[in-house]
Amino acid sequence: MRDRIALIVAAGRGTRFGGPAPKQYLPFGGTTVLAAAAMALRPFMPVACVIHPDDLERYRSATAGLDLLPPVFGGPDRQASVRNGLEALAGDPPGLVLVHDAARPDLPPAVVRRLLEALETHDGAAPGLPVADTLKRVEEGRSVGTVSRDGLWRIQTPQGFRYPALLAAHRDAAPASYSDDTALAEAAGLSIAVVQGDARLEKITEAGDAARLPGPDIRTGHGFDVHRLVPGDGVTLCGVRIAHDRALSGHSDADVGMHALTDAIIGALAEGDIGQHFPPGDPEWRGAASEIFLAGARDMAAARGGRILHCDVTLVCETPKIGPHRAVMRAELARILAIPVDRVSVKATTSEKLGFTGRGEGIAAQATATLALP
Ligand code: MG
């Protein structure tokens, strides 16, 4: 059984929004609203999106290269769309499901962690914020009374549930009756915990909201690495094993490209360097595939709520030839970072037979990484 899966509800037409595309496909933080929501959840669990059939091309272009489950087509309203998403998972049911609105793209990882913790002891859990404004009952433009806000909370998404319980509740529910899944689940008798939400999770509902949201903190990090060439039968560069008349020497698999990129990401986070997080003297990393380091840096970025927007690696060597392997290297780095391949660049250069790289004594790599932090 799969542990947990997130469903992102993105089937709305955004009729209140009045833009050139449904709001979930508008630009946000260097990507799109939908992709940002998916990238925020992806470090925690597999993600499937529920989309409108007319948006299939938009969806493909917005999520190209993201490692997502196949999309599911939604129904005429939100409740029907969630039901379709839940039914699509029934063949291989997860233990937990998180249902999230695509229109809440700025999801802090701390909220997901609070939900998962609450789900250890509750059927369901949702983030919320206490109501801070005065509440009025208004009739024909005139206040007819003040409503006590004591104990009133505004509920956000993602909302998490035990999957079998939520699926059963949806199957029993009258169509088009509930504004969200906590309302539907409560009507079915499930106990719902409310955890601290976040103002950043505010839903995009009006034209211009996406542009008004606070812009991300864009960071660029740089990394550099060298490993020595020794007698051997091949090298691993950017995750790709290449037959060669020599090998790279180092404590792990000595993948200079991946090490430089790992350091670039850690640099953008200003959290030290690769040696500090993965000490070279540590026997744990002896012969290790460097994917561990790059995935570790990816997780450090995710833990800060960051998104990796782009990376660029330059390998410096006379041989082996990098060109024939470049596409596979890009695909491999994109897979590990869980970002689209068109956001990953791998380049190579020689050093004109000058210096240690020119004499074939070692291979060097430089990398930059651009991150968006909240
Ligand atoms: Mg290294």
Side-chain angles (χ1 to χ4, degrees):
M1 191 173 81
R2 293 182 284 187
D3 192 20
R4 57 199 187 214
I5 287 179
L7 285 177
I8 297 181
V9 191
R13 306 312 292 147
T15 44
R16 271 185 294 174
F17 204 63
K23 61 195 173 193
Q24 56 271 35
Y25 297 103
L26 293 180
F28 178 81
T31 172
T32 61
V33 170
L34 174 61
M39 287 162 84
L41 281 161
R42 189 63 195 82
F44 293 95
M45 65 197 84
V47 173
C49 296
V50 183
I51 65 170
H52 193 283
D54 291 353
D55 290 338
L56 191 53
E57 281 315 306
R58 283 193 179 106
Y59 169 81
R60 285 191 176 134
S61 119
T63 60
L66 291 181
D67 179 23
L68 304 181
L69 298 173
V72 180
F73 289 146
D77 55 68
R78 188 184 188 282
Q79 185 181 326
S81 290
V82 174
R83 167 87 185 264
N84 287 5
L86 294 172
E87 295 288 357
L89 304 177
D92 183 9
L96 297 176
V97 63
L98 263 64
V99 182
H100 187 42
D101 294 328
R104 302 180 194 268
D106 200 8
L107 169 59
V111 171
V112 181
R113 285 193 283 267
R114 289 197 279 268
L115 288 171
L116 294 176
E117 192 184 342
L119 285 167
E120 288 172 12
T121 48
H122 292 80
D123 301 325
L129 291 175
V131 171
D133 295 329
T134 296
L135 294 179
K136 292 283 191 194
R137 192 171 301 284
V138 176
E139 287 174 10
E140 293 170 356
R142 194 177 68 87
S143 170
V144 294
T146 301
V147 180
S148 168
R149 66 189 178 205
D150 275 3
L152 292 185
W153 286 54
R154 301 185 290 125
I155 297 303
Q156 304 174 316
T157 75
Q159 300 176 353
F161 305 88
R162 298 187 202 289
Y163 170 81
L166 186 65
L167 178 63
H170 264 269
R171 285 178 174 171
D172 287 344
S177 303
Y178 300 97
S179 59
D180 77 355
D181 295 283
T182 59
L184 185 150
E186 272 170 351
L190 303 185
S191 93
I192 309 295
V194 175
V195 303
Q196 186 69 32
D198 196 298
R200 284 164 50 195
L201 266 172
E202 207 64 26
K203 193 174 188 177
I204 297 172
T205 54
E206 304 288 343
D209 273 3
R212 274 203 301 274
L213 289 170
D217 177 10
I218 301 291
R219 306 274 193 97
T220 301
H222 172 257
F224 175 74
D225 195 30
V226 171
H227 279 267
R228 184 185 298 273
L229 282 163
V230 296
D233 61 0
V235 297
T236 300
L237 293 171
C238 295
V240 178
R241 180 76 184 166
I242 303 171
H244 193 44
D245 58 2
R246 269 173 291 175
L248 284 168
S249 157
H251 204 70
S252 65
D253 65 6
D255 185 335
V256 282
M258 226 182 258
H259 293 183
L261 180 53
T262 300
D263 244 357
I265 294 168
I266 296 173
L269 297 169
E271 290 196 28
D273 59 34
I274 186 172
Q276 189 181 326
H277 294 277
F278 308 98
D282 191 331
E284 189 179 345
W285 316 121
R286 190 185 302 280
S290 296
E291 172 170 351
I292 298 172
F293 311 141
L294 187 58
R298 172 203 68 201
D299 293 344
M300 286 166 62
R304 295 264 298 269
R307 295 190 298 275
I308 298 165
L309 298 179
H310 180 263
C311 63
D312 185 13
V313 180
T314 301
L315 300 167
V316 187
C317 57
E318 303 292 326
T319 59
K321 287 273 170 267
I322 302 304
H325 307 286
R326 184 205 302 261
V328 188
M329 290 175 174
R330 292 178 64 203
E332 183 64 1
L333 297 178
R335 177 188 66 78
I336 296 165
L337 295 176
I339 63 175
V341 75
D342 68 0
R343 290 172 180 268
V344 177
S345 163
V346 174
K347 313 197 299 297
T349 185
T350 72
S351 54
E352 297 280 318
K353 299 205 160 48
L354 296 171
F356 70 87
T357 52
R359 292 188 297 271
E361 295 167 6
I363 295 181
Q366 302 203 37
T368 55
T370 308
L371 272 65
L373 293 179

